[in-house]
Amino acid sequence: MNLNDILSNPDLLPWLIPVGPLLAFFIIMLATNRAKMVPATSHEYGGHHPDYDGMKVPVVTLQSRILSVTVGMLGTLTAWVLSLITVSNAFGAQHFGEEVFGDRLNWLATGVGEFTMGVLVDPFTTVMLIMVPLAVTMIFIYSIGYMAHDPRQSRFFALISLFAGAMLTLVVADNLLLMFVGWEVMGLCSYLLIGFWFEKESAYKAAIKAFTTTRVADVIMLLGIAYLYASAGTLSFRDILYNEAMLEHLASTPAIILGGWGLSAAGLIGVFLIIGTIGKSAQFPLHVWLPDAMEGPTPVSAMIHAAAMVSAGVYAIIRMYPLFEAGGNPHAGEFTTPLMLMAIVGGFTALFSATIAVAQNDVKRVLAYSTISQLGFMMAALGIGAYIAAAFHLITHAFFKALLFMASGSVIHGMEHGEHHVHEHHAHDEHDEAHGHDDHHDHGHHFDPQDMMNMGGLRKTMPVTFWTFLLGGLSLSGFPLLTAGFWSKDEILADAWLGLTHGYGAPAFVFIMLCLAAFLTAFYTMRQLGLTFMGEPRTEEAAHANLGQGIVSFTMTLPLIILAFLAVVAGFAGVHPDFPLFGAIFSPEYNWFHHFVGPTLLHEPASIDFSIVPVLFSFGVALGGLGLGYWMYWRKPLEAGQPDPLVSILGTVHPVLKNKYYLDELYATLFIQPSQWFSRVVVSDFMDNGIIDGVLHLIARVFTWIGDLIKNLNVWLIDGVGDGIPELVAIFGTWFRRIQTGRIQQYMLLVVIAMIVIALIFAVSSGFLVQAAG
Amino acid sequence: MIPLWMYLLVAAALFCMGAYAVLARRNAVAILMGVELMLNAVNINLVGFWRYQQPLNMAGQAFAAFVFVIAAAEAAVGLAIIISVYRQRKSVIPDEADTLKG
């Protein structure tokens, strides 16, 4: 079978989608990432670190860096092109949903069965294949400029290629096991990329935090996968989720634990899988790693927040949704345990992290908490059965959040540029060309280029960034009618409103929480925009902030423009047909997104009737939040040195929000310190030093004793015999050598005596004497 | 005719005198002379036995002639050694040349 056959066969094509980035990872790591060693003080080593003085550090040569970037770009572009072909195949297919593209082969024989590995492209995968490779490609283009001054750019492209490859593997996987493989590889990549600037203590600590936090959830998710395999005998999505008999079987079997309390096997598996997602998609209470993940380079933040990592968590539960729903019907008020869990966790997280975001001053941290909040929207939507709305919000959120992160990265980059300018201006140091991001140990004063209090007035020097940031921010806020965020959020609220009008508890809870969260979202977005771009520059650095000229500036603004376009128009794919005016323009016959994604499920979710009330709520919270933000931060922009008006308004609540409800401290007291105590006292002192070392030392002592015994035997017997023989020879020699006097006449005398003796013996033995005597 | 035992007796006496000289004299030249005496005692024995026992076989005479040659060579070598030792030590006393003592 040649390549052409695979390319023309839509069933086989998905196999190739993750191959490009994965191959790029191996090529860069093994071939093109060539480094030479230079002193750490060399200007070639951009992010100079004082601890490395006197050491040699590897710096990738310019040629291999350009080659690595090219390889990485080719990998991701290949994935994008193949995805587009797959998507166009999917659009052209008849009865897509019922009929899907896919292929599978046997993977691991386990004795009782066989794990298969395969690919699956159904309508939901298709929309992911529109979003993920596009966002990834934008992030790659952006990284060319953003990482241009980093000495480890090759390594960055290798890791982010692996990240993209893992995400695409996860998206096209046709079973839970292969998906979990991609899931875990992404966990590894997030660890490596969050800790990419591992010279900084905060960066490697954040990496460890992200890795261990998600690991807690992943273990539980693996339990869910194992239980699912034990119950269903297969992990294939299609065999389980598109199979009514299987779902009924799982929903009617009592779970092995809590089964007596009415929990079904499907419910327990669902809870386990949702806990995995809570870790991966950073939902309360496992959200703590995501804000710290801001320590990584900004393209990584965009990757984690939009295209890959946290989307993967929500992707997984949207993918497994029929399992969660099995045995219940959220539209009829029957909520299963997993659905309730999602509704409560999602609704709570959405509001909870939105309140934290209000009080953050770090430009990326605000976005991090808004991501957690928006993922909460999706979880809550799934919890109340709004399957399509959750998927829709996943896609639109990916676009505007990737945009927001890259725009904030541009702001940071511009601030560093301004800081560098100021630094040069003051120091007149023309040789120092080091300006690695976030690495400013060599600069005398502590300046945080991510602190919004240091910004202000950036709209004048960075107009493209400002306008794209504004569009992304409005989309995030759900600015009515024009932005993608409005349409997807509105759909979630409409679903929740429908449940509320029927008098169900969960949708009512979700509706209230999401409305409040949406209000706060609009407010903190406006606050962020106002603090960053409005008014006059509050510091000298901000006054000089810009992206410069040339390839860096170009590669960093092009993705922003493309994504800003998508952040606006993506929403028009899912307009309700009955929506006044817009429904007639964009959905003359049916809601395209609903119509296309719906057949992913066995029972296509019913389209809900249009209601004006949730739309009015959407309008109200978005415009209210935006208006409040405008009134507080745009009308009278903050002057230099002026405190945030929010501090005095919120009073004692503000420190609580700013410190994220002290959850990090709580976790440190509850989990980290006890586990450190446990590892120190129990594991280290008692088990390691006491038991293991004790046993080992005992064994060592026994063998030492046996060794001594054998050594004594050796000395006494073997050495005795061995040394005794030469000693005897020596004693005899000492005695015998006295015969050698050196006096020739004595020798002769002895010869004569010997001669006489020999003659006598001869005479006696020959019988001569006897004869003579006789 | 003089009987054989008389020759043998003379040879034995000569040999004993030579042996005594070799063992008892202090002068190396004298020792060498003792050696010559012993060799010549052997020669007397050889010639005597040849004459009385195997007169047709020339081996006895031939041996005697060889012994002369050997004795001459031995005297030459021995004297050379003695002169060499004398040059080193200003002495011809073998007892004093005991470097090989163990």
Side-chain angles (χ1 to χ4, degrees), chain A residues 129-478:
Chain A
L129 284 178
I130 297 171
M131 183 276 279
V132 174
L134 177 65
V136 166
T137 308
M138 292 303 125
I139 291 165
F140 269 66
I141 293 172
Y142 183 82
S143 304
I144 297 174
Y146 192 82
M147 301 302 284
H149 299 296
D150 196 285
R152 291 194 294 266
Q153 196 182 17
S154 303
R155 180 185 147 91
F156 179 83
F157 266 78
L159 293 176
I160 206 160
S161 292
L162 181 62
F163 207 145
M167 182 64 191
L168 291 168
T169 308
L170 180 140
V171 169
V172 297
D174 86 328
N175 66 70
L176 208 47
L177 193 64
L178 185 60
M179 197 186 90
F180 193 67
V181 171
W183 180 282
E184 290 296 314
V185 174
M186 271 199 288
L188 169 71
C189 290
S190 68
Y191 167 76
L192 291 170
L193 285 167
I194 292 168
F196 186 74
W197 287 316
F198 46 77
E199 293 94 340
K200 281 198 300 179
E201 191 188 2
S202 56
Y204 71 70
K205 282 194 168 163
I208 292 170
K209 188 173 178 182
F211 195 70
T212 46
T213 311
T214 50
R215 202 60 45 242
V216 171
D218 289 353
V219 168
I220 294 172
M221 179 166 179
L222 191 56
L223 278 181
I225 295 175
Y227 189 33
L228 180 61
Y229 186 70
S231 308
T234 174
L235 290 174
S236 164
F237 295 137
R238 207 64 184 165
D239 293 350
I240 298 168
L241 306 175
Y242 213 75
N243 182 344
E244 193 142 19
M246 176 70 80
L247 289 174
E248 255 174 41
H249 163 71
L250 289 173
S252 54
T253 315
I256 39 172
I257 53 169
L258 300 174
W261 295 20
L263 189 65
S264 67
L268 187 64
I269 295 163
V271 170
F272 282 156
L273 295 182
I274 288 166
I275 292 173
T277 293
I278 286 174
K280 205 70 162 181
S281 287
Q283 297 296 288
F284 181 84
L286 294 177
H287 65 280
V288 289
W289 66 271
L290 193 60
D292 287 17
M294 295 301 105
E295 291 292 342
T298 303
V300 174
S301 307
M303 194 80 173
I304 290 175
H305 285 259
M309 184 98 168
V310 296
S311 303
V314 174
Y315 171 82
I317 52 170
I318 295 179
R319 169 60 72 205
M320 299 303 291
Y321 179 74
L323 183 70
F324 306 144
E325 201 193 29
N329 180 5
H331 295 290
E334 298 162 13
F335 293 95
T336 59
T337 315
L339 291 180
M340 284 301 279
L341 180 68
M342 279 195 284
I344 293 168
V345 168
F348 177 74
T349 308
L351 182 59
F352 167 81
S353 56
T355 57
I356 298 177
V358 164
Q360 298 300 313
N361 283 339
D362 185 313
V363 66
K364 274 168 82 182
R365 252 170 215 277
V366 176
L367 294 177
Y369 280 104
S370 92
T371 301
I372 299 173
S373 174
Q374 298 301 310
L375 291 166
F377 273 68
M378 298 170 209
M379 287 280 275
L382 283 169
I384 57 168
Y387 174 86
I388 301 292
F392 191 30
H393 197 53
L394 178 65
I395 303 295
T396 57
H397 172 257
F399 286 135
F400 62 68
K401 193 49 67 73
L403 165 63
L404 284 171
F405 265 107
M406 290 199 246
S408 75
S410 297
V411 169
I412 296 164
H413 196 87
M415 289 297 285
E416 279 168 356
H417 204 274
E419 181 194 3
H420 185 61
H421 183 273
V422 172
H423 180 68
E424 269 190 346
H425 193 66
H426 287 169
H428 295 288
D429 183 4
E430 291 174 2
H431 300 289
D432 179 16
E433 292 184 6
H435 47 129
H437 305 284
D438 303 38
D439 271 323
H440 291 274
H441 311 276
D442 51 340
H443 293 196
H445 58 302
H446 288 287
F447 174 78
D448 185 359
Q450 306 196 15
D451 191 344
M452 292 192 293
M453 289 299 158
N454 291 332
M455 300 178 187
L458 292 184
R459 73 183 184 285
K460 291 169 198 153
T461 50
M462 305 173 75
V464 179
T465 309
F466 168 62
W467 286 108
T468 50
F469 205 129
L470 181 66
L471 285 175
L474 289 178
S475 197
L476 169 65
S477 315

